[in-house]
Amino acid sequence: MKPEQPATPMTPESTGLGRLPRIWQWCLLAVLSVILAALLEMAGIPAGLLMGPMVAGALVGMNGGTIRLPRQFFFCVQVVLAMMIAGSMRPDLFATFSSNWPLFLAVILSVIGVSTLCGWTITRMRILPGTTAIWGSSAGAASTMLLMADAYGADARLVAFMQYLRVVFVAGAATMVAHLWVSGTETETATRWFAPVAGLPFLATLAVGIVGGLLGKLRVPAGAFLVPFAIGSALNVTGMLTIELPQWLLALSFALLGWNIGLSFTRSIIAHARRAFLPTLVSIFVLMAFSGALAVLLIKAAGIDPLTAYLATSPGGLDSIAVIAASSDVDLPFVMALQTARLLIITLIGPVLARFVADRV
């Protein structure tokens, strides 16, 4: 008779919570997430259903947790969020962009330029090994930058740490700004989690999202989000599809996205990146401050409301900003259009720009 295998294989990280069976780690994560999300929701914090699970995931990961969100689940999250945002797109958005495209392009390129400058500065100061800081400082396209960093011999773990730390700080700042901006002006409405859903539109929404997501996985950076978003937006704007998603599915997707970000902060990554923590924070704050200045430019030059401008210029990640924008009283299509344009442009020129700078350090 074969000996029984342990529920959680012991690894170098199997300390603290890592000694618990995986099922208990998931249970602890779920309980913590519910408590934190409930507290944030009661406090009126936008995207509490994202931020609560994100904080819970970070607490579990930094205390030795060994669980990770399966890739299949994250694919489903991207599809659901893509279709949610696609449902808010409207035809007049293209007219807004066509009349202001030089300003929007300047905003996007300046964010990319400042993030690259931050990475170059950290690299020149020899704070991080090799060209790690150049890839880690990119304001988006994290998966592409990780692949490029690995091919260039940079430390992929440090690149991942820099990318996810930026996402956490940007998401946290955007959440607090949204909370402070709407404080005292919101009207409390009860959320009907299990309200009736139109069956055929719901199934059609899922079908379009899943097919688009699968097509997007065929060598398209961030394709599992961008392709269903593009297809869903086109069908929604033309009236060919009514996008229908239940509140409980959206809440679950927000939580899974929070877990995917939070669980990335493990003990080994934190210890490995200790020396880079302060310089990384400084570069993140510089980028966030610069993005805030660009938001002021949008307010003055294009008449965009302040909260919409701030979320539109926030330097990623696309999915977390989408959740925060959807939970706030902003022009969601405008936010997503500018965020998507930034991601597409940085995906196209970011790796080339980073490689160009890396070759000259």
Side-chain angles (χ1 to χ4, degrees):
M1 184 174 179
K2 293 183 179 180
E4 184 178 346
Q5 295 296 318
T8 303
M10 296 298 287
T11 68
E13 282 193 3
S14 293
T15 58
L17 295 178
R19 294 193 177 96
L20 295 176
R22 292 185 185 274
I23 184 63
W24 289 112
Q25 294 184 49
W26 282 113
C27 289
L28 176 61
L29 176 61
V31 170
L32 276 175
S33 299
V34 169
I35 293 173
L36 291 173
L39 290 174
L40 292 174
E41 286 289 311
M42 286 189 293
I45 304 295
L49 297 174
L50 166 71
M51 299 304 296
M54 184 191 298
V55 174
L59 290 174
V60 170
M62 289 188 293
N63 283 280
T66 56
I67 53 176
R68 301 291 179 269
L69 187 70
R71 290 182 178 272
Q72 297 88 339
F73 281 27
F74 186 56
F75 169 79
C76 295
V77 168
Q78 291 177 297
V79 166
V80 170
L81 294 182
M83 297 307 293
M84 176 193 75
I85 303 303
S88 69
M89 302 304 286
R90 60 178 192 266
D92 63 341
L93 177 69
F94 302 103
T96 302
F97 256 71
S98 61
S99 60
N100 293 283
W101 70 265
L103 174 63
F104 298 151
L105 185 62
V107 166
I108 293 168
L109 292 178
S110 60
V111 169
I112 295 173
V114 169
S115 64
T116 303
L117 178 61
C118 288
W120 178 84
T121 302
I122 295 175
T123 300
R124 292 291 294 178
M125 293 173 67
R126 308 298 181 194
I127 294 172
L128 293 177
T131 58
T132 298
I134 293 173
W135 311 105
S137 296
S138 171
S143 57
T144 303
M145 292 302 168
L146 283 172
L147 293 174
M148 295 292 293
D150 189 57
Y152 247 68
D155 193 322
R157 287 188 300 173
L158 282 175
V159 172
F161 170 79
M162 294 178 72
Q163 289 283 345
Y164 278 112
L165 189 66
R166 174 180 52 81
V167 168
V168 168
F169 272 87
V170 169
T175 299
M176 293 312 300
V177 168
H179 172 60
L180 295 173
W181 185 260
V182 301
S183 180
T185 63
E186 278 189 311
T187 56
E188 195 69 31
T189 57
T191 301
R192 298 181 63 193
W193 297 106
F194 298 99
V197 177
L200 286 178
F202 175 50
L203 293 176
T205 299
L206 291 182
V208 170
I210 292 171
V211 171
L214 291 174
L215 290 174
K217 294 182 71 174
L218 302 176
R219 302 180 66 84
V220 178
F225 181 93
L226 290 179
V227 173
F229 169 65
I231 296 174
S233 296
L235 294 177
N236 178 64
V237 167
T238 57
M240 298 176 64
L241 175 68
T242 300
I243 294 178
E244 184 83 20
L245 292 167
Q247 287 296 322
W248 62 264
L249 181 58
L250 294 176
L252 180 61
S253 299
F254 296 167
L256 292 177
L257 175 60
W259 286 353
N260 189 66
I261 297 172
L263 289 171
S264 301
F265 289 88
T266 62
R267 282 184 173 181
S268 65
I269 289 179
I270 297 298
H272 190 61
R274 188 173 299 157
R275 183 168 178 262
F277 186 73
L278 186 57
T280 301
L281 275 186
V282 171
S283 68
I284 290 172
F285 290 150
V286 167
L287 186 58
M288 289 171 61
F290 183 75
S291 298
L294 292 176
V296 174
L297 178 63
L298 281 180
I299 295 167
K300 300 293 185 182
I304 308 300
D305 74 89
L307 185 54
T308 296
Y310 181 81
L311 293 178
T313 56
S314 292
L318 177 64
D319 41 18
S320 55
I321 293 297
V323 173
I324 295 165
S327 306
S328 309
D329 184 19
V330 298
D331 187 343
L332 180 57
F334 182 88
V335 172
M336 289 311 302
L338 195 55
Q339 286 283 341
T340 302
R342 179 182 59 81
L343 179 60
L344 289 174
I345 291 175
I346 202 170
T347 298
L348 291 173
I349 72 171
V352 177
L353 179 62
R355 187 168 59 241
F356 177 82
V357 175
D359 285 339
R360 285 155 180 78
V361 173

